[in-house]
Amino acid sequence: MSIPNKYLAELMERVIQRNPHEPEFHQAVREVLTSLSPVVDAHPEYMTEGVMDCLVEPERIIKFRVPWEDDQGKVHVNRGYRIQFNSAIGPYKGGLRFDPSVNESIIKFLGFEQVFKNSLTGLPIGGAKGGSDFTRKGKSDNEVMRFCQSFMSELSKYIGPDTDVPAGDIGVGAREIGFLFGQYKRLRNEFTGAITGKGLTYGGSLVRTEATGYGLCYFTENMLKDAGRSFEGATVLVSGSGNVATYACEKATQLGGKVVAMSDSNGYVYDPDGIDLAAVKQIKEQNRQRIKVYVDTHPKAQYHEGSSGIWQIPCHIALPCATQNELDGASAKALIANGCFAVAEGANMPSTPEAIEAFHQAGVLFAPAKAANAGGVAVSALEMSQNSMRLYWSFEEVDNHLKKIMGTLYGNVISAAQEYGMPHDLVAGANIAGFLKVANSMLAYGVV
Ligand code: NDP
Ligand code: 2IT
């Protein structure tokens, strides 16, 4: 993919030189700069005033040691990160990922994308991401607790309800958020909404657990409706079986779709009768087991090793909800050949550039992550509002806000794509609509 605008093409080269060995970050920046070419052609002030150069440079990168002791008394040292990318429109906001694959490139790509996503929600939140190369897999509750406490002992110096508000992501769920918030509260001696995704007994918001998956389906519903289609009667694939995948499966089913497959990092299950989500929740959320045990209680279902095989199953709608670059060009071609007409990204950057290109060429409806999975962080921002007001909203109230936010977001993405001559290109629309609010705020501040 070459970037049409010469200044942006050169900026991309500088990004590669200044951030060597960071392929995920390069991939995320290249996509955005490609989409923004017509915008800066029309508004050269974004180049001349330094907005574009600032946009690709994080405001602050925090990198720290996380020592912790296992149950045998052995000391382990992990690496922690918080990349505070852009605070032009609000306090830094974005999740924490605990996974062995975590490195600076991955946190930087996630932080960069979060800036645009958060802007798209219409709420006042800047962009950040953090995490560690730690895995909770195979660890006892006490080991996870000691790790989280050590991680927060350092992170607590840099966050706060008006500064930076972390949340969950891969490997960081309700249990980890509890340990992290508990330590934050203890160190700072204050009870404020400095983390979202909190438990419902200590400041969490109803619908936050469901928000990313539900929001993904609300966005997809809008996109399908515009094309004269719906979830009703559609066969759906959902990759992953974590937080986003679980609630995407739940809402897609409620909207009339039939989810026939889900996966984890080892393989996927195919159930021709439709996935029994209660069983998946029990296996993954409660028991922390592998998804393959699903077939022990569901004799008609099949388990296959290897996560990417899921895309070979015929479907109408694909919802990748596991991780970055999980859906490549060959998988995209298989989906298209099997009659898939819509793809909506629940994970961050799950489709490779080759896959996105294949979907566009084939006229497959494509909802990019920044727009489609923004429901999670949107409800996080609503959790912040409730915490500031020291009150709670009902499930229905928050769910209605979420539906409205996803509908407005969809409309804004479509309008931006149309305005810059790329109707129906939701990738361009999301990048442009997300950019404008952030860029105009940066312009207003002058050089800071
Ligand atoms: P979870 O940790 O709850 O679940 C992650 C799921 O993805 C698990 O089923 C995991 O399998 C699977 N997985 C992880 N790595 C791979 C891999 N390399 N190949 C195949 N499957 C894999 O995380 P979330 O559900 O929170 O996050 C999923 C995605 O959604 C991420 O891209 C995240 O950034 C994004 N996202 C999350 C939001 C949130 O609110 N939580 C909001 C917006 C986006 P296993 O059990 O084997 O590890
Ligand atoms: O990628 C994401 O948007 C998230 N992991 C959620 C971030 C948040 O602050 O709720």
Side-chain angles (χ1 to χ4, degrees):
M1 208 195 305
S2 67
I3 299 171
N5 177 279
K6 187 164 172 284
Y7 185 89
L8 295 186
E10 286 168 7
L11 179 59
M12 184 71 229
E13 286 313 308
R14 289 200 292 282
V15 167
I16 293 168
Q17 273 166 23
R18 284 159 69 95
N19 306 274
H21 320 299
E22 297 188 358
E24 293 85 1
F25 181 51
H26 302 166
Q27 182 181 337
V29 173
R30 183 179 294 280
E31 184 204 275
V32 168
L33 295 186
T34 303
S35 296
L36 294 181
S37 286
V39 182
V40 299
D41 286 345
H43 299 280
E45 64 273 22
Y46 294 132
M47 293 178 277
T48 55
E49 301 296 316
V51 170
M52 303 312 296
D53 291 66
C54 281
L55 199 71
V56 297
E57 189 70 23
E59 286 178 22
R60 192 174 296 111
I61 297 180
I62 302 151
K63 195 167 163 181
F64 51 98
R65 182 173 73 192
V66 190
W68 59 279
E69 216 176 273
D70 69 18
D71 290 342
Q72 282 69 47
K74 185 172 180 305
V75 175
H76 300 260
V77 178
N78 285 93
R79 191 169 274 179
Y81 299 90
R82 186 69 180 168
I83 300 191
Q84 299 177 330
F85 221 107
N86 193 305
S87 61
I89 62 166
Y92 306 108
K93 180 85 197 85
L96 297 171
R97 177 178 291 191
F98 292 169
D99 190 79
S101 64
V102 162
N103 58 35
E104 204 160 312
S105 173
I106 288 182
I107 300 299
K108 223 183 256 176
F109 113 69
L110 289 163
F112 179 72
E113 295 224 319
Q114 200 82 41
V115 174
F116 302 89
K117 181 197 307 192
N118 292 3
S119 165
L120 284 169
T121 65
L123 298 164
I125 39 179
K129 202 83 186 190
S132 175
D133 56 358
F134 171 84
T135 178
R136 64 187 176 184
K137 284 182 196 155
K139 307 286 192 305
S140 69
D141 285 350
N142 277 332
E143 288 173 332
V144 172
M145 180 182 75
R146 285 194 290 274
F147 172 80
C148 289
Q149 290 177 341
S150 178
F151 184 88
M152 184 51 80
S153 293
E154 185 62 23
L155 186 69
S156 63
K157 298 168 189 167
Y158 309 100
I159 63 172
D162 296 316
T163 309
D164 183 357
V165 184
D169 194 82
I170 291 179
V172 179
R175 176 183 56 171
E176 292 73 25
I177 292 289
F179 294 145
L180 291 163
F181 185 69
Q183 182 74 346
Y184 177 84
K185 193 173 82 59
R186 177 159 68 170
L187 292 171
R188 299 284 285 255
N189 193 28
E190 62 179 37
F191 198 114
T192 51
I195 298 186
T196 59
K198 296 185 292 300
L200 296 177
T201 57
Y202 61 91
S205 173
L206 286 162
V207 194
R208 176 60 190 90
T209 304
E210 296 85 355
T212 312
Y214 278 20
L216 171 70
C217 292
Y218 296 151
F219 187 94
T220 307
E221 218 187 359
N222 278 283
M223 178 175 78
L224 292 170
K225 193 166 166 224
D226 255 5
R229 296 186 183 267
S230 78
F231 270 107
E232 197 60 55
T235 300
V236 184
L237 302 179
V238 178
S239 67
S241 47
N243 172 266
V244 180
T246 298
Y247 294 96
C249 176
E250 185 164 291
K251 186 53 75 179
T253 307
Q254 285 172 13
L255 294 172
K258 182 178 178 189
V259 178
V260 295
M262 291 181 80
S263 61
D264 64 16
S265 58
N266 290 105
Y268 67 94
V269 287
Y270 169 63
D271 189 338
D273 288 342
I275 288 285
D276 171 359
L277 190 61
V280 173
K281 283 184 183 173
Q282 179 75 32
I283 294 165
K284 299 297 289 187
E285 275 178 16
Q286 259 100 60
N287 303 348
R288 299 188 190 276
Q289 290 171 301
R290 310 312 302 157
I291 199 147
K292 73 172 169 199
V293 308
Y294 181 93
V295 297
D296 298 345
T297 46
H298 296 75
K300 276 208 225 152
Q302 302 160 18
Y303 173 74
H304 299 271
E305 275 295 319
S307 319
S308 65
I310 194 172
W311 310 122
Q312 303 297 323
I313 301 169
C315 73
H316 301 115
I317 300 170
L319 304 176
C321 295
T323 194
Q324 67 274 357
N325 292 326
E326 55 163 315
L327 200 171
D328 65 8
S331 299
K333 289 194 180 111
L335 284 169
I336 294 161
N338 285 330
C340 173
F341 58 70
V343 177
E345 298 186 321
N348 286 308
M349 207 168 77
S351 312
T352 64
E354 295 73 30
I356 297 174
E357 181 57 25
F359 293 137
H360 278 160
Q361 293 293 336
V364 171
L365 302 169
F366 181 75
K370 282 183 202 85
N373 75 27
V377 75
V379 174
S380 274
L382 300 181
E383 182 173 329
M384 290 164 69
S385 308
Q386 293 168 79
N387 291 164
S388 298
M389 293 190 282
R390 302 202 189 282
L391 50 73
Y392 292 108
W393 295 331
S394 69
F395 191 97
E396 200 189 2
E397 221 168 337
V398 183
D399 194 32
N400 283 338
H401 272 300
L402 174 62
K403 264 186 216 152
K404 214 175 189 173
I405 288 168
M406 297 314 289
T408 306
L409 198 166
Y410 175 76
N412 290 343
V413 167
I414 289 289
S415 307
Q418 260 160 3
E419 189 181 335
Y420 284 93
M422 295 169 279
H424 310 300
D425 183 343
L426 304 195
V427 173
N431 288 332
I432 295 167
F435 166 80
L436 288 173
K437 194 169 138 192
V438 174
N440 291 336
S441 306
M442 290 167 80
L443 272 184
Y445 298 141
V447 182
V448 286

